[in-house]
Amino acid sequence: MRRAIYPGSFDPVTNGHLDIIERGCKLFDEIIIAILVHPDKKPMFTIEERVEMLEQLTGEINKGACVLRVDNFQGLLVKYAVEREAQTIVRGIRAISDYEYELQMALMNRRLEPRIETVFMMPHEDYSYVSSRIVKEVFGLGGAIDGLVPAFVMERMKRKSNGV
Ligand code: PNS
């Protein structure tokens, strides 16, 4: 049973995240999408909202025989991965600029827990510039973000900005 953890903030989930999950499904029997509970950050969506959106979207993607679960975690990622009996951490790398930070995290995680391997995956080039942060910024300033997040997520962002 090849089980991977795909960790992140997912605030909100983008089409780039979903693309990585679909690609990961070709490599793993099970992927746990693990949302970090970040006590100091002021997120756009609560953990419960992010879990709900990811659960809906993972039901719609092309996953073959792969089992997708959505969870949240606090504290050290490698500790969580061992608790969940995963062998691998999946991270998406969009551009070379991501690599430095991701390499640092991967090597630190390997030092902390040599049994866990990190696998870097490249999203489709259409999403190579897409991040939750830039999507929120453009949306907040009234710019178009269609095609970068699922329509359902965009709807939820609109409701959020209207205070619903
Ligand atoms: O999507 P993000 O916000 O870039 O994800 C970052 C994440 C959640 C992968 C990273 O912050 C993380 O693993 N945090 C958990 C705490 C931890 O283990 N820190 C040490 C990493 S070397």
Side-chain angles (χ1 to χ4, degrees):
M1 164 67 123
R2 293 162 305 163
R3 181 180 289 134
I5 307 285
Y6 181 40
S9 306
F10 303 103
D11 185 42
V13 54
T14 67
N15 285 341
H17 292 128
L18 296 173
D19 183 79
I20 293 287
I21 296 168
E22 268 194 17
R23 288 172 199 282
C25 280
K26 297 183 205 156
L27 302 179
F28 302 101
D29 301 308
E30 183 178 313
I31 302 176
I32 304 174
I33 301 151
I35 307 170
L36 174 69
V37 180
H38 213 306
D40 336 314
K41 264 200 191 167
K42 177 86 192 79
M44 180 174 221
F45 291 102
T46 65
I47 290 287
E48 293 74 23
E49 288 169 328
R50 281 177 272 167
V51 168
E52 187 208 323
M53 285 190 277
L54 273 160
E55 276 177 347
Q56 165 148 350
L57 293 162
T58 51
E60 293 167 6
I61 66 176
N62 185 8
K63 54 179 177 286
C66 178
V67 175
L68 293 175
R69 298 188 197 286
V70 184
D71 193 15
N72 62 74
F73 76 104
Q74 273 176 301
L76 274 184
L77 172 60
V78 285
K79 191 164 170 276
Y80 171 78
V82 169
E83 276 166 17
R84 288 286 176 273
E85 297 181 0
Q87 305 85 15
T88 311
I89 292 167
V90 169
R91 290 288 289 169
I93 296 230
R94 292 160 296 195
I96 200 76
S97 49
D98 283 338
Y99 180 71
E100 217 170 313
Y101 170 61
E102 294 296 334
L103 176 71
Q104 192 180 22
M105 273 207 302
L107 294 180
M108 178 57 89
N109 282 335
R110 192 161 73 190
R111 181 177 192 274
L112 292 168
E113 186 43 82
R115 288 174 294 176
I116 307 275
E117 292 293 340
T118 297
V119 168
F120 293 147
M121 298 192 70
M122 276 66 68
H124 192 281
E125 52 273 26
D126 287 356
Y127 306 126
S128 59
Y129 59 93
V130 178
S131 68
S132 300
R133 186 193 59 75
I134 207 161
V135 159
K136 279 187 287 194
E137 184 176 328
V138 170
F139 175 80
L141 296 170
I145 55 161
D146 20 330
L148 307 182
V149 296
F152 156 71
V153 171
M154 206 161 75
E155 211 37 60
R156 297 292 292 263
M157 290 173 80
K158 281 184 191 152
R159 277 169 54 187
K160 201 39 92 173
S161 67
N162 292 332
V164 183

